[in-house]
Amino acid sequence: MQKKQIVEIIAGLMIITATAGAIAGTFLYEDMLNNERKTIVILALALEFGNWSPPEIKLVEGEPVRLKIRNTDTVTHGFAVPELGIGIDEPVEIKAGHVAKIDITPTKKGTFLYVCTVWCSKQHPKMVGRIIISEK
Amino acid sequence: MKDKILGIFPLDWRYDITSLPYVRSVLKSRWVPFLIIVFNLFFFTIILMAGVVGGVSAGNYNFAIMFVWILWWVMLMLVFVPFFSRIWCSTCPLPAFGEWIQRLGFLKVRNKLFGLNRKWPKQLKNMWLMNFLFLGTTYTTGFLTTRPIATFILLMAIILGSVVLSTVFERRSFCLYCCPVSGFQGLYSNIAMTEIRCKDPEVCRNHNVSTRAKALGCDYQQRDCVRGNENGYACPWLEVPFNQNRRNTYCGMCFECFKTCPYDNMAFNLRPPATDLVLDKKRGLDEAWKAFMMLGIAIFFFLIMQGPFGFLKDWANAKTLAGYLSYISVHSTFNLLIFPGIFFVFSYASHALGRTELPLKRVFINFSYTLVPLGLMAWIAFSVGIIFANGSYLIHVISDPFGWGWNLLGTANFPWTPFMTGMVPYMQIGGLLLGLALSLDIGFKIARQTFKNRDEAVMGFYPIAAFLTVTTMFLMWLFTG
Ligand code: SF4
Ligand code: SF4
Ligand code: SF4
Ligand SMILES: [Cu+2]
């Protein structure tokens, strides 16, 4: 192969690294982070923008899990599951654009409400979702 | 020419940066600006991804919005354009795919370009299309600065548009006549303190000109910088690189002419600011309107984003359709008609006061270039207000570009901290006064070109000077309350 062709291939590889490589790297890194522990992503949005998503989370008793709550809204939200004591003693406040990570291992089964704890809009009291914990 | 800019810098003072060691060999390498383009490509890949996956409405916390509209835009206005002309275009990754398709390669030189290579329609060889595209883009500011996906759509439109047009039209036709951010970079680059020109016109005059070509009057076609050779491409921006009487407007600073010139006769000059504005050549209504629109839009943006009228923000963000339509119509009428109309009245007065053989239209066009320094300074004042107030968000998003809870550099929890807010009004006032000084200085030089003699020029310049001064006072009042 000529030197010129090799140079072209190197240049092409650089472009692929900068584009496809960056995209692949991003998802691999995110996967790696999520592999540390089973992760459930919850989006926090005021009611007008769609409320908690997903509105219902299914967990299994005794199985450790990480809740990753992404606030993709323009206002601050909070997170608490009062019946499980999450976010009560240490309030979880998530500013716009920020992410909270909560590691839990559910110990009792049943259906519990998870709520926003920051007055985020007129409809704030309705910003509620459900956690369903089933037996192993 | 013994004229001086602001009475300090002689108009013809130049310092060739390539006379420093290594600079020329760097610019002659085919890896430049390729490597920077690849680096920016990586950055824009992240920006595009953040536009899609990085959150829905938290504008200030989105990587795409922060890096495009806070960092990139402010850098353009504050650093790139005033100091380095169109240096951004030299390293811009957006039209790169189109160009690589034309070249069927990345670094190799192959002067027969792939594609239809059509000539751009003559009627569109000006700034009008870009004026309207830019105005159209400003209709969406409310979304661009709050919805990451809007930024994604705009950037993708530029990338795809450039790919499509590159296969149909010759060389950088897209950049020259279509890119929404090309027009203002071109016009405002007239102020830039750098330029790419030939070193010694005598060398160019004697270069490789066959008698036959000379007789045909098309001798310049024979020069390597125009035609391209095995070391580099013919000027992708359709400039005649060795023409000493050209402006920065349409030179994309791609450095191909450094690579093609067999005599190393191209120079990357430092020069006094705004010298291109004095060049009495190829001034046109399209650029005049660009100047009006840019200044008018700076005023509107300020009112929307930082002004005291909350309703304007709601209008621009399309809270209600009626509000949004009012925004579009007020914004367009002001920038396309009212503002140029006011300037026309002052040009009319100027034409009436000073004696000149030139028609009113010429006087109007010539003087519209006086708005360029002031316009750039208005944008700088606007940008300074934004970067110091919101720059700290950059520190957050760089650690967590997609809002996924990453903390790459450990700065994800950096709180919002406005910097030096006390200084901002002084910088704004200082900048605007500098803009006024430059506008007045350029204005009087234009008046000398426009009117018969010095006395007539003084008379004719009064109304324009008044307009510039009043506009500056208005801007100062607007920015600093
Ligand atoms: S004209 Fe636009 S697309 Fe072309 S290089 Fe400049 S900024 Fe990039
Ligand atoms: S190739 Fe060099 S010497 Fe010849 S015209 Fe162009 S700049 Fe001048
Ligand atoms: S080749 Fe053309 S666009 Fe590129 S730097 Fe030279 S004159 Fe400017
Ligand atoms: Cu809430």
Side-chain angles (χ1 to χ4, degrees):
Chain A
M1 237 190 305
Q2 268 188 321
K3 187 174 161 254
K4 277 209 168 135
Q5 282 166 306
I6 298 172
V7 169
E8 282 298 293
I9 291 170
I10 294 173
L13 287 176
M14 291 171 91
I15 292 164
I16 292 171
T17 315
T19 52
I23 298 172
T26 300
F27 286 109
L28 283 177
Y29 182 64
E30 173 70 1
D31 257 9
M32 196 190 82
L33 292 182
N34 289 350
N35 272 345
E36 287 169 14
R37 198 182 172 109
K38 187 175 174 230
T39 303
I40 294 177
V41 178
I42 307 170
L43 295 188
L45 284 160
L47 238 66
E48 342 19 344
F49 298 114
N51 208 343
W52 294 111
S53 158
E56 215 172 78
I57 308 163
K58 294 201 171 75
L59 304 181
V60 180
E61 200 183 340
E63 218 176 75
V65 60
R66 171 172 295 164
L67 301 178
K68 199 153 131 182
I69 306 146
R70 288 178 65 197
N71 181 355
T72 54
D73 211 335
T74 48
V75 290
T76 303
H77 291 291
F79 181 87
V81 193
E83 287 160 288
L84 299 179
I86 298 169
I88 299 301
D89 298 330
E90 289 170 62
V92 180
E93 202 189 83
I94 321 157
K95 289 204 213 82
H98 287 252
V99 180
K101 288 176 207 154
I102 302 167
D103 289 350
I104 55 168
T105 309
T107 46
K108 56 177 172 180
K109 63 186 173 78
T111 300
F112 310 97
L113 295 183
Y114 72 92
V115 298
C116 173
T117 53
V118 172
W119 193 267
C120 51
S121 79
K122 276 192 198 123
Q123 310 234 55
H124 160 71
K126 292 192 202 153
M127 195 171 161
V128 184
R130 284 196 299 171
I131 295 183
I132 301 165
I133 301 174
S134 57
E135 238 170 322
K136 210 189 268 191
Chain B
M1 261 195 291
K2 270 185 246 79
D3 254 353
K4 290 180 175 169
I5 297 276
L6 293 174
I8 311 170
F9 312 104
L11 256 182
D12 51 5
W13 178 84
R14 294 293 184 276
Y15 175 78
D16 180 8
I17 301 170
T18 61
S19 63
L20 296 170
Y22 305 118
V23 178
R24 182 173 296 277
S25 41
V26 167
L27 295 183
K28 280 179 80 172
S29 161
R30 290 225 60 87
W31 290 97
V32 175
F34 177 82
L35 286 178
I36 315 175
I37 292 177
V38 172
F39 177 77
N40 284 342
L41 196 56
F42 164 73
F43 231 69
F44 272 71
T45 304
I46 306 292
I47 288 174
L48 288 169
M49 276 184 80
V52 181
V53 299
V56 234
S57 38
N60 284 337
Y61 283 104
N62 184 272
F63 188 87
I65 288 177
M66 286 315 288
F67 272 86
V68 174
W69 303 117
I70 304 295
L71 190 66
W72 173 70
W73 186 257
V74 168
M75 285 292 281
L76 274 183
M77 291 296 183
L78 216 55
V79 183
F80 294 157
V81 168
F83 293 103
F84 302 105
S85 185
R86 300 192 72 154
I87 199 81
W88 167 256
C89 291
S90 150
T91 62
C92 177
L94 302 175
F97 295 100
E99 191 155 71
W100 292 329
I101 291 172
Q102 282 184 340
R103 295 177 177 180
L104 295 177
F106 307 112
L107 294 167
K108 66 176 179 214
V109 182
R110 186 182 154 279
N111 261 298
K112 190 168 164 6
L113 293 179
F114 172 81
L116 298 176
N117 284 307
R118 294 253 174 85
K119 291 247 179 296
W120 189 251
K122 221 178 160 95
Q123 315 86 281
L124 292 178
K125 282 200 168 197
N126 50 48
M127 283 200 180
W128 286 114
L129 185 59
M130 292 188 286
N131 284 349
F132 290 113
L133 285 173
F134 185 74
L135 188 69
T137 311
T138 63
Y139 293 160
T140 62
T141 38
F143 312 104
L144 285 175
T145 51
T146 52
R147 305 288 162 98
I149 193 75
T151 299
F152 173 85
I153 293 172
L154 177 70
L155 294 178
M156 278 316 273
I158 294 181
I159 294 177
L160 295 177
S162 71
V163 167
V164 172
L165 291 191
S166 297
T167 53
V168 178
F169 294 101
E170 59 178 338
R171 307 189 216 173
R172 290 281 194 116
S173 291
F174 172 84
C175 288
L176 284 162
Y177 304 115
C178 286
C179 168
V181 290
S182 174
F184 89 82
Q185 287 192 73
L187 184 63
Y188 282 3
S189 285
N190 285 314
I191 296 186
M193 295 173 71
T194 43
E195 64 177 17
I196 289 174
R197 298 288 188 276
C198 79
K199 246 187 326 202
D200 181 358
E202 200 54 38
V203 175
C204 298
R205 219 166 287 137
N206 298 327
H207 172 206
N208 195 22
V209 190
S210 65
T211 24
R212 202 179 106 76
K214 225 177 201 165
L216 288 170
C218 57
D219 53 354
Y220 71 87
Q221 296 290 1
Q222 300 299 314
R223 268 79 175 239
D224 293 49
C225 57
V226 173
R227 188 190 50 187
N229 59 20
E230 66 287 356
N231 296 323
Y233 287 88
C235 174
W237 294 72
L238 303 170
E239 287 280 89
V240 177
F242 65 85
N243 177 4
Q244 284 301 69
N245 280 320
R246 64 191 181 99
R247 301 206 239 127
N248 282 355
T249 316
Y250 290 110
C251 167
M253 303 194 106
C254 63
F255 302 115
E256 286 299 334
C257 49
F258 285 80
K259 307 184 203 325
T260 48
C261 178
Y263 301 105
D264 280 351
N265 198 32
M266 288 308 292
F268 187 14
N269 289 328
L270 277 181
R271 65 170 200 191
T275 48
D276 282 351
L277 293 174
V278 187
L279 196 71
D280 194 6
K281 278 222 164 70
K282 280 199 182 165
R283 291 186 180 134
L285 273 180
D286 57 331
E287 295 186 359
W289 246 263
K290 181 94 241 169
F292 297 131
M293 285 168 57
M294 287 311 291
L295 188 50
I297 290 169
I299 295 172
F300 255 80
F301 273 18
F302 183 82
L303 288 174
I304 293 169
M305 290 177 209
Q306 301 171 45
F309 313 113
F311 71 93
L312 258 179
K313 200 176 201 136
D314 293 346
W315 277 11
N317 287 339
K319 282 253 164 77
T320 60
L321 184 64
Y324 185 58
L325 293 178
S326 331
Y327 160 67
I328 290 189
S329 38
V330 174
H331 179 70
S332 313
T333 340
F334 179 79
N335 288 308
L336 290 176
L337 298 173
I338 301 179
F339 190 47
I342 298 173
F343 191 78
F344 181 80
V345 174
F346 283 85
S347 306
Y348 184 85
S350 163
H351 190 252
L353 282 174
R355 243 180 325 136
T356 173
E357 266 136 32
L358 296 179
L360 176 55
K361 185 178 158 198
R362 266 285 127 213
V363 175
F364 174 77
I365 292 177
N366 282 0
F367 280 131
S368 68
Y369 285 76
T370 60
L371 294 176
V372 171
L374 194 54
L376 180 62
M377 282 304 175
W379 276 99
I380 286 182
F382 173 73
S383 306
V384 165
I386 293 212
I387 191 79
F388 287 117
N390 298 314
S392 58
Y393 288 119
L394 290 168
I395 302 171
H396 164 81
V397 293
I398 197 148
S399 267
D400 187 11
F402 309 109
W404 286 351
W406 288 11
N407 199 352
L408 293 175
L409 306 176
T411 55
N413 293 313
F414 193 84
W416 175 61
T417 333
F419 294 106
M420 308 210 292
T421 33
M423 290 289 292
V424 167
Y426 298 102
M427 293 192 229
Q428 290 174 325
I429 290 179
L432 288 169
L433 285 176
L434 183 65
L436 176 64
L438 210 48
S439 280
L440 289 174
D441 186 56
I442 298 298
F444 189 65
K445 292 187 170 61
I446 293 177
R448 288 298 309 271
Q449 295 165 353
T450 309
F451 298 101
K452 279 201 164 121
N453 55 43
R454 202 187 154 83
D455 291 341
E456 298 295 333
V458 170
M459 284 309 288
F461 189 49
Y462 272 129
I464 304 298
F467 179 90
L468 293 171
T469 313
V470 171
T471 309
T472 309
M473 308 240 288
F474 170 76
L475 287 169
M476 290 205 284
W477 168 81
L478 187 69
F479 282 117
T480 61

